[in-house]
Structure formats: C-alpha cells, structure tokens
Amino acid sequence: MDRHAWPRLRVADWQDTRDTLHMWTQIVGKIRLAHAPLVNHWWQVTLYVTPRGLTTSAIPYGAGAFDIEFDFADHRLTMRASDGGTREFGLEPMPVSEFYARTMRALDELGIETRIQGHPNEVDPALPFAEDDQHASYDAESAYLFWQQLLQAARVMGEFRSRFVGKVSPVHLFWGATDLACTRFSGRDAPEHPGGAPNCGDWVMVEGYSQELSSCGFWPGGGEEGAFYAYAYPEPEGFAARPAGPPGAFYSLENGQFLLPYEAVRKAPDPDRALLEFLQATYEAAADLAHWDRPALEADPARWTYKTG
C-alpha cells in the first residue's frame, strides 16, 4: 500500500471545520435515530464510510425509505427518498443553525416528517442547533482529507474485523464523539456502565456497554493528526501493562485506553501492517486477560481461499 494514500491532516489546522462538521453529523445522525428501530448498542444510529463520504444508509420511513449522504468529493449534502424524490445543497461555510434549518426543510419538502432532539450529545456546552451560530466553518480540502483518513482506517479495520466470527459490530462512525469504531464481544454480560458522558443520559452508556467488549477505532483527536484507540470494558487487571504493538503506541491514563497516533501509522514503512499490529495486540490483551473463548470466536478469513471444486 502506498503510504501517500494515508493523508496528512493536522488537527490544529482544521479544528474549526472539525467542530462544525461534528455538529452537522449529529443532526444527520439524530434524523436516523428518529426513524430507525433500536439495534443493540445503538448500532442503528451510526454513519458509514462510502466512496463519496459518509452515509446514513437506508432509513425506514412509512412503506419506503430514504438516506442522507455527506459527499466530500463534490461537497454536497444529498437526501434521496425511495419514491424518487431528492434534495441537496452545497457543503460550504455556514453556521450550524443554517445547516439545521436547510436539512429539516429539505426533509419537509420530501414529505418526511421528522422531529429530533434539538441539541448535541457528548459535548459541553451543548448549544441548541437552531441557535448555534458559533460553529460555522467548512474548509473543503480538510473535509476531503478527513474522509480520506476514514477510508484508510475503515479499510484496515474491516480487514481486522474479518478475523472474528463472534458478535462484532460493523465498522461505523458514532457521531457523539465523531469516532470510527469496531467492537468485538465475548458473549458475556458486563457490569452496568456508570455513564458520565456530558449531555448524555447514563442509560445511553448502559445500553452501549451492556456486554463485555474490546473496541478499537479512530477519531480526529488524541494526536497531532488524530489517533487510533483501543479499550476494553470492563478493563481486565493488567490490561494497561500489556504491549500495545508498534512504535508510538502507548496506554493513556488520561483517556483510559491505548492510543496510536495517526502520524505514527502514516509514517510507518507499512502503515497497514502497523495498524493491524496495534489492533491485534490490544485485542489480545483484552481477550487473554479476560479469558475469552478465542478458538470459538476467531477464524481465518482466508479459510476458503485454497479450496477447489
């Protein structure tokens, strides 16, 4: 893999755009939340990486469906309904309040009645969307590069996911913290999560962490160019002391998880291999220390490659 496929994007260079885009994705994510039936651990609310940007995928509505996509190639927000209706507008510098109004108006024009909780979660302060004129930045090149980061992260995380045949989430983006995540489960219940996320009911975390898990992901923070992370819930004794794989990986006491700065992956001789090493090492730390039934939960994704007629 050509290392130049892993773009350089310093968090400090696009923080205003990042924070605005965070609010925009919360609005779109909450629209999916308003219509999709609950799936364990809130998997029904996430966004997915596409060849153009980020999508809700199909959202049920009445006897049909609709979707919403952030197109970071042409910088458009596109809404498509199964009855053939479409609406779109350009992604450009605008306050959250305007993005919110334009998005909800477009849904009304498509005949999709929608009410969402009108403020963001997992941030403090949580400015109501309709009143948020503070977040108004959109640098198109930065949004494009972030999408390119997500494409690379999702691709490698998808390969890592393929090695697990137990319960495992899709590779999907949670808009609460704007993190791309993939979570493996041991099959056992977990102790009730204490909650504590800002402007987010504790019951949200109770559902999200209802079963023992090992989770990994990427988010645009935690390093100069973002960071990959890995954690376990509940965290088994000795987890933080385990080796975390490639150079640059470490356990962050502040964050309660392993971190691998994005730039350490980007600069590695083989970025894919470095990231896979991190994901595998941190998963093994969780699974071995918590005594997961690894033989029953793991499989070789190439197991059919050499089979013939």
Side-chain angles (χ1 to χ4, degrees), residues 189-201:
D189 289 341
E192 184 171 303
H193 194 280
N199 292 298
C200 186

Side-chain angles (χ1 to χ4, degrees), residues 73-94:
D74 287 338
H75 303 287
R76 311 286 296 173
L77 187 79
T78 303
M79 288 164 255
R80 304 177 302 175
S82 56
D83 65 3
T86 63
R87 291 293 187 277
E88 65 176 45
F89 59 83
L91 298 176
E92 59 192 11
M94 73 179 86

